[in-house]
Amino acid sequence: MPREKAEPVKRKLKKLNLYDGRRRPKREDEFVLLPVVDDERVYSLGYEVLPVELPLRPERQIYKNLESVLAERLSEEELKHLRRYDVIGDIAVIQIPPELEHRVDDIVWGLRKVHPFLKVVAKKGFHEGAFRIRDYSIIWGEKRLETVHRENGVEIKVDLSKAFFNPRMKGERYRLTQLVRDGERILIPFAGVLPYALVIARYRKVKITAVELNREAYELGLENIERNRKRLKGEIEFIHGDAFKVLPELPSYDRVISPTPRGVDALTLTLSKAERWLHYYDFVHENEIEAFRRRIIEECQKLGRECSVRVKKVSDFKPHVFKVCADVELG
Ligand SMILES: C[S@@+](CC[C@H](N)C(=O)[O-])C[C@H]1O[C@@H](n2cnc3c(N)ncnc32)[C@H](O)[C@@H]1O
């Protein structure tokens, strides 16, 4: 190709799955040699096809990440629509926007290149209902959404069709563990399959009481305690029930961690059970963060307590709305 035509032609070749991304293009004076795959169709495009062997890119560079792998097959325009994905155990979950629906097979191919151990690829929908279960559809592999995920030194059995689990909170679980000291008594309502409880108990000699309403999440959680039993320094007591009914019957704790389901207001409930610290997760618009902080201080005052509050953005949820964690220290 003449140099000025190289980019658009490269895009066209990629769209047609005829571009060979494993090889490097090569400049020769005013021309660029573009690598193509071995396919009859390249001869029918009206371009000159030369029998030149272009150098292969180093293996590492090819399979670095999904985007660079897919650059072999998707156009730059299509790559812009590619969303973040998660790998949970041997399952990859990815959101596929309408612009990429016709590229599902290529995306599965790309994910499997980057993560050869995958057994399932699922398309990710939205969290629904009180139990915050996501809607998934399997687009490749075994017909299951159950797997064992490894994180922060523990094994977490999850079933994405039955219970909430978010691998992106790994850093938060680590952060909280660093704040916890041996000997603490900790309460975790909305505990799911127990990711927070397991990670903290793995590294700290603490007594944790966790509460979960979804029966299937609860059963997976019990299985997770057994699965990790030999690794845990701390103890976990797990209660099946509604946090709003169970917590009033429980004593207060040194620390309360509330991975609050979206749309639920459990601030007063969880604050009333915290002696020293509360970590309260919520979804807040960026313009409302200060108001959220003040509301927590007011709630503390209503309970006759002094407190200091730091609100930390944990992840972006949708434009201008963040998942935040309020770290509350009570006086
Ligand atoms: C955002 S998820 C967090 C789960 C878990 N802590 C995690 O990070 O994976 C909220 C959890 O609260 C549970 N839940 C919802 N309403 C509840 C209630 N009233 N009492 C106890 N658990 C509840 C849901 O089933 C879900 O597992």
Coordinates of all heavy atoms in Angstrom, one line a residue, residues 54-103:
L54 N 6.7 -11.5 6.5 CA 7.0 -10.5 7.4 C 7.3 -11.0 8.8 O 6.8 -12.1 9.2 CB 5.7 -9.5 7.5 CG 5.5 -8.7 6.2 CD1 4.2 -8.0 6.3 CD2 6.6 -7.7 5.9
P55 N 8.1 -10.3 9.6 CA 8.6 -10.9 10.9 C 7.4 -11.0 11.9 O 6.5 -10.2 11.9 CB 9.6 -9.8 11.4 CG 9.3 -8.6 10.6 CD 8.7 -9.0 9.3
L56 N 7.5 -12.1 12.6 CA 6.5 -12.4 13.7 C 6.7 -11.4 14.9 O 7.9 -11.2 15.2 CB 6.6 -13.8 14.2 CG 5.9 -14.9 13.3 CD1 6.4 -16.3 13.7 CD2 4.4 -14.8 13.4
R57 N 5.7 -11.0 15.5 CA 5.9 -10.2 16.7 C 6.3 -11.2 17.8 O 5.9 -12.3 17.8 CB 4.5 -9.6 17.2 CG 4.0 -8.5 16.2 CD 2.7 -8.0 16.8 NE 2.0 -7.2 15.8 CZ 2.2 -5.9 15.8 NH1 3.1 -5.3 16.6 NH2 1.6 -5.1 14.9
P58 N 7.0 -10.7 18.9 CA 7.3 -11.6 20.0 C 6.0 -12.1 20.6 O 5.1 -11.3 20.7 CB 8.1 -10.8 21.0 CG 8.2 -9.4 20.4 CD 7.5 -9.4 19.1
E59 N 6.0 -13.3 21.0 CA 4.8 -14.0 21.6 C 4.2 -13.1 22.7 O 3.0 -12.9 22.8 CB 5.3 -15.3 22.2 CG 4.2 -16.3 22.5 CD 3.4 -16.9 21.3 OE1 3.9 -16.7 20.2 OE2 2.4 -17.4 21.6
R60 N 5.0 -12.6 23.6 CA 4.6 -11.8 24.7 C 3.7 -10.6 24.3 O 2.7 -10.3 24.9 CB 5.8 -11.3 25.5 CG 5.7 -11.3 27.0 CD 7.0 -10.8 27.6 NE 7.6 -9.7 27.0 CZ 8.8 -9.7 26.4 NH1 9.5 -10.8 26.4 NH2 9.3 -8.6 25.8
Q61 N 4.2 -10.0 23.3 CA 3.5 -8.8 22.8 C 2.2 -9.1 22.2 O 1.2 -8.4 22.3 CB 4.4 -8.1 21.8 CG 4.0 -6.7 21.4 CD 4.9 -6.2 20.4 OE1 6.1 -6.6 20.2 NE2 4.5 -5.2 19.7
I62 N 2.1 -10.3 21.6 CA 0.8 -10.7 20.9 C -0.3 -10.9 21.9 O -1.3 -10.4 21.8 CB 1.0 -12.0 20.1 CG1 2.2 -11.9 19.1 CG2 -0.3 -12.2 19.3 CD1 2.4 -13.2 18.4
Y63 N 0.0 -11.7 23.0 CA -1.0 -12.1 23.9 C -1.0 -11.3 25.2 O -1.4 -11.9 26.2 CB -1.0 -13.6 24.1 CG -1.1 -14.3 22.8 CD1 -0.3 -15.4 22.5 CD2 -2.0 -13.9 21.8 CE1 -0.4 -16.0 21.2 CE2 -2.1 -14.6 20.6 CZ -1.3 -15.6 20.3 OH -1.4 -16.2 19.1
K64 N -0.6 -10.1 25.2 CA -0.5 -9.3 26.4 C -1.9 -9.1 27.0 O -2.1 -9.3 28.2 CB 0.1 -7.9 26.0 CG 0.9 -7.3 27.1 CD 1.7 -6.1 26.6 CE 0.8 -5.2 25.7 NZ 1.5 -4.2 24.9
N65 N -2.8 -8.6 26.3 CA -4.2 -8.4 26.8 C -5.2 -8.5 25.7 O -4.9 -8.6 24.6 CB -4.3 -7.0 27.5 CG -4.0 -5.9 26.5 OD1 -4.5 -5.9 25.4 ND2 -3.3 -4.9 26.9
L66 N -6.5 -8.6 26.2 CA -7.5 -8.9 25.2 C -7.5 -7.9 24.0 O -7.7 -8.3 22.9 CB -8.9 -8.8 26.0 CG -10.1 -9.2 25.1 CD1 -10.0 -10.6 24.6 CD2 -11.4 -9.0 25.9
E67 N -7.3 -6.6 24.4 CA -7.4 -5.6 23.3 C -6.3 -5.9 22.2 O -6.6 -5.8 21.0 CB -7.2 -4.2 23.9 CG -7.9 -3.2 23.0 CD -7.8 -1.8 23.7 OE1 -7.9 -1.8 24.9 OE2 -7.6 -0.9 22.9
S68 N -5.1 -6.2 22.7 CA -4.1 -6.4 21.7 C -4.3 -7.7 20.9 O -4.0 -7.7 19.7 CB -2.7 -6.3 22.3 OG -2.5 -7.3 23.2
V69 N -4.9 -8.7 21.6 CA -5.2 -9.9 20.8 C -6.3 -9.6 19.8 O -6.2 -10.0 18.6 CB -5.6 -11.0 21.8 CG1 -6.2 -12.2 21.1 CG2 -4.5 -11.4 22.7
L70 N -7.3 -8.9 20.2 CA -8.4 -8.7 19.3 C -8.1 -7.7 18.2 O -8.8 -7.6 17.2 CB -9.6 -8.2 20.1 CG -10.3 -9.3 20.9 CD1 -11.5 -8.8 21.7 CD2 -10.9 -10.4 19.9
A71 N -7.0 -7.0 18.4 CA -6.6 -6.0 17.3 C -6.3 -6.8 16.0 O -6.4 -6.2 14.9 CB -5.4 -5.2 17.8
E72 N -6.1 -8.1 16.2 CA -5.9 -8.9 15.0 C -7.2 -9.1 14.2 O -7.1 -9.3 13.0 CB -5.5 -10.3 15.5 CG -4.4 -11.0 14.7 CD -4.1 -12.3 15.4 OE1 -3.4 -12.2 16.5 OE2 -4.5 -13.3 14.9
R73 N -8.3 -9.0 14.9 CA -9.6 -9.3 14.2 C -10.6 -8.1 14.2 O -11.5 -8.1 13.3 CB -10.3 -10.5 14.9 CG -9.4 -11.7 14.8 CD -10.3 -12.9 15.2 NE -9.6 -14.2 14.9 CZ -10.2 -15.3 15.0 NH1 -11.4 -15.4 15.2 NH2 -9.5 -16.4 14.7
L74 N -10.5 -7.2 15.1 CA -11.5 -6.1 15.2 C -10.9 -4.8 14.7 O -9.7 -4.6 14.8 CB -11.9 -5.9 16.7 CG -13.1 -6.7 17.2 CD1 -13.0 -8.2 17.0 CD2 -13.4 -6.4 18.6
S75 N -11.8 -4.0 14.1 CA -11.3 -2.7 13.7 C -11.1 -1.8 14.9 O -11.6 -2.1 16.0 CB -12.3 -2.1 12.8 OG -13.5 -1.7 13.5
E76 N -10.4 -0.7 14.7 CA -10.1 0.3 15.8 C -11.4 0.8 16.4 O -11.6 0.9 17.6 CB -9.2 1.4 15.3 CG -7.8 1.1 15.6 CD -6.9 2.0 14.8 OE1 -7.1 3.2 14.8 OE2 -5.9 1.5 14.1
E77 N -12.4 1.0 15.5 CA -13.7 1.5 15.9 C -14.4 0.5 16.8 O -14.9 0.8 17.9 CB -14.5 1.7 14.6 CG -15.8 2.5 14.8 CD -15.7 3.7 15.6 OE1 -14.7 4.5 15.4 OE2 -16.6 4.0 16.5
E78 N -14.3 -0.8 16.4 CA -14.9 -1.9 17.2 C -14.2 -2.0 18.6 O -14.8 -2.2 19.6 CB -14.9 -3.2 16.4 CG -15.9 -3.2 15.3 CD -15.7 -4.5 14.4 OE1 -14.6 -4.9 14.2 OE2 -16.8 -4.9 13.9
L79 N -12.9 -1.9 18.5 CA -12.1 -2.0 19.8 C -12.5 -1.0 20.8 O -12.5 -1.3 22.0 CB -10.6 -1.9 19.5 CG -10.0 -3.2 18.9 CD1 -8.5 -2.9 18.5 CD2 -10.1 -4.4 19.8
K80 N -12.9 0.2 20.4 CA -13.4 1.2 21.3 C -14.6 0.8 22.1 O -14.8 1.3 23.2 CB -13.7 2.5 20.5 CG -12.5 3.3 20.1 CD -12.9 4.6 19.5 CE -11.8 5.2 18.6 NZ -12.3 5.8 17.4
H81 N -15.4 -0.1 21.6 CA -16.6 -0.6 22.3 C -16.3 -1.7 23.3 O -17.2 -2.1 24.0 CB -17.7 -1.0 21.3 CG -18.2 0.1 20.5 ND1 -19.0 1.1 21.0 CD2 -17.9 0.5 19.2 CE1 -19.2 2.0 20.0 NE2 -18.6 1.6 18.9
L82 N -15.1 -2.2 23.2 CA -14.8 -3.4 24.1 C -14.8 -3.0 25.6 O -14.3 -1.9 26.0 CB -13.3 -3.8 23.8 CG -13.0 -5.3 24.1 CD1 -13.8 -6.2 23.4 CD2 -11.5 -5.5 23.8
R83 N -15.5 -3.7 26.4 CA -15.7 -3.4 27.8 C -14.7 -4.2 28.7 O -14.2 -5.2 28.2 CB -17.1 -3.7 28.3 CG -18.2 -3.0 27.5 CD -18.3 -1.5 27.9 NE -19.1 -0.8 27.0 CZ -20.4 -0.7 27.0 NH1 -21.1 -1.4 27.9 NH2 -21.1 0.0 26.1
R84 N -14.6 -3.8 29.9 CA -13.7 -4.5 30.9 C -14.4 -5.9 31.1 O -15.6 -6.0 31.0 CB -13.7 -3.8 32.2 CG -12.5 -2.8 32.2 CD -12.4 -2.3 33.7 NE -12.0 -3.4 34.6 CZ -11.8 -3.1 35.9 NH1 -12.0 -2.0 36.4 NH2 -11.4 -4.1 36.7
Y85 N -13.6 -6.9 31.4 CA -14.2 -8.2 31.7 C -13.6 -8.7 33.0 O -12.6 -8.1 33.5 CB -14.0 -9.2 30.6 CG -12.5 -9.5 30.4 CD1 -11.9 -10.6 31.0 CD2 -11.7 -8.7 29.7 CE1 -10.6 -10.9 30.8 CE2 -10.3 -8.9 29.5 CZ -9.8 -10.1 30.1 OH -8.5 -10.3 29.9
D86 N -14.2 -9.7 33.6 CA -13.7 -10.3 34.8 C -13.5 -11.8 34.6 O -14.2 -12.4 33.8 CB -14.7 -10.2 36.0 CG -14.9 -8.7 36.4 OD1 -13.9 -8.1 36.8 OD2 -16.0 -8.2 36.2
V87 N -12.5 -12.3 35.3 CA -12.3 -13.7 35.3 C -12.5 -14.2 36.7 O -11.9 -13.7 37.7 CB -10.9 -14.1 34.8 CG1 -10.7 -15.6 35.0 CG2 -10.6 -13.7 33.4
I88 N -13.6 -15.0 36.9 CA -13.9 -15.6 38.2 C -13.7 -17.1 38.1 O -14.4 -17.8 37.3 CB -15.4 -15.3 38.5 CG1 -15.6 -13.7 38.4 CG2 -15.8 -15.8 39.9 CD1 -17.1 -13.3 38.5
G89 N -12.7 -17.6 38.8 CA -12.3 -19.0 38.6 C -12.0 -19.3 37.2 O -11.2 -18.6 36.6
D90 N -12.7 -20.3 36.6 CA -12.4 -20.6 35.2 C -13.5 -20.0 34.3 O -13.8 -20.5 33.2 CB -12.2 -22.1 35.0 CG -13.4 -22.9 35.5 OD1 -14.4 -22.3 35.9 OD2 -13.3 -24.1 35.5
I91 N -14.2 -19.0 34.8 CA -15.3 -18.3 34.0 C -14.9 -16.9 33.7 O -14.5 -16.1 34.6 CB -16.6 -18.3 34.8 CG1 -17.0 -19.8 35.2 CG2 -17.8 -17.7 34.0 CD1 -18.3 -19.8 36.1
A92 N -15.0 -16.5 32.4 CA -14.8 -15.1 32.1 C -16.2 -14.5 31.9 O -17.1 -15.1 31.3 CB -14.0 -15.0 30.8
V93 N -16.4 -13.3 32.4 CA -17.7 -12.6 32.2 C -17.4 -11.3 31.6 O -16.5 -10.5 32.0 CB -18.5 -12.5 33.5 CG1 -19.0 -13.8 34.0 CG2 -17.7 -11.8 34.6
I94 N -18.2 -11.0 30.5 CA -17.9 -9.8 29.8 C -19.3 -9.2 29.3 O -20.2 -9.9 29.0 CB -17.0 -10.1 28.6 CG1 -16.6 -8.8 27.9 CG2 -17.6 -11.0 27.6 CD1 -15.4 -8.8 27.0
Q95 N -19.3 -7.9 29.3 CA -20.5 -7.2 28.8 C -20.3 -7.0 27.3 O -19.2 -6.6 26.9 CB -20.5 -5.8 29.5 CG -21.9 -5.3 29.8 CD -21.8 -4.0 30.6 OE1 -21.0 -3.9 31.5 NE2 -22.7 -3.1 30.2
I96 N -21.3 -7.3 26.5 CA -21.1 -7.2 25.1 C -22.1 -6.1 24.6 O -23.3 -6.3 24.6 CB -21.4 -8.5 24.3 CG1 -20.7 -9.6 25.0 CG2 -21.2 -8.3 22.8 CD1 -19.7 -10.3 24.2
P97 N -21.6 -4.9 24.3 CA -22.5 -3.8 23.8 C -23.1 -4.2 22.4 O -22.5 -5.0 21.7 CB -21.6 -2.6 23.8 CG -20.2 -3.1 23.6 CD -20.2 -4.5 24.2
P98 N -24.2 -3.6 22.1 CA -24.9 -3.9 20.8 C -23.9 -3.8 19.6 O -23.9 -4.6 18.7 CB -26.0 -2.9 20.7 CG -26.2 -2.3 22.0 CD -25.0 -2.6 22.8
E99 N -23.0 -2.8 19.7 CA -22.0 -2.6 18.6 C -21.1 -3.8 18.3 O -20.4 -3.9 17.3 CB -21.1 -1.4 18.8 CG -21.8 -0.1 18.9 CD -22.4 0.2 20.3 OE1 -22.4 -0.7 21.1 OE2 -22.9 1.4 20.5
L100 N -21.0 -4.7 19.3 CA -20.1 -5.9 19.2 C -20.8 -7.2 19.2 O -20.2 -8.3 19.2 CB -19.0 -5.8 20.3 CG -18.0 -4.7 20.3 CD1 -17.0 -4.9 21.4 CD2 -17.2 -4.8 18.9
E101 N -22.1 -7.2 19.1 CA -22.9 -8.4 19.1 C -22.4 -9.3 18.0 O -22.4 -10.6 18.2 CB -24.4 -8.1 19.0 CG -25.1 -7.7 20.2 CD -25.3 -8.8 21.3 OE1 -24.9 -9.9 21.0 OE2 -25.7 -8.4 22.4
H102 N -22.1 -8.8 16.9 CA -21.7 -9.6 15.7 C -20.3 -10.1 15.9 O -19.8 -10.8 15.0 CB -21.9 -8.8 14.4 CG -21.0 -7.6 14.3 ND1 -21.0 -6.6 15.2 CD2 -19.9 -7.4 13.5 CE1 -20.1 -5.7 14.9 NE2 -19.4 -6.1 13.9
R103 N -19.6 -9.7 16.9 CA -18.2 -10.1 17.1 C -18.0 -11.1 18.3 O -16.9 -11.3 18.8 CB -17.3 -8.9 17.4 CG -17.1 -8.0 16.1 CD -16.4 -8.8 15.1 NE -15.8 -8.0 14.1 CZ -15.1 -8.4 13.1 NH1 -14.9 -9.7 12.9 NH2 -14.6 -7.6 12.2

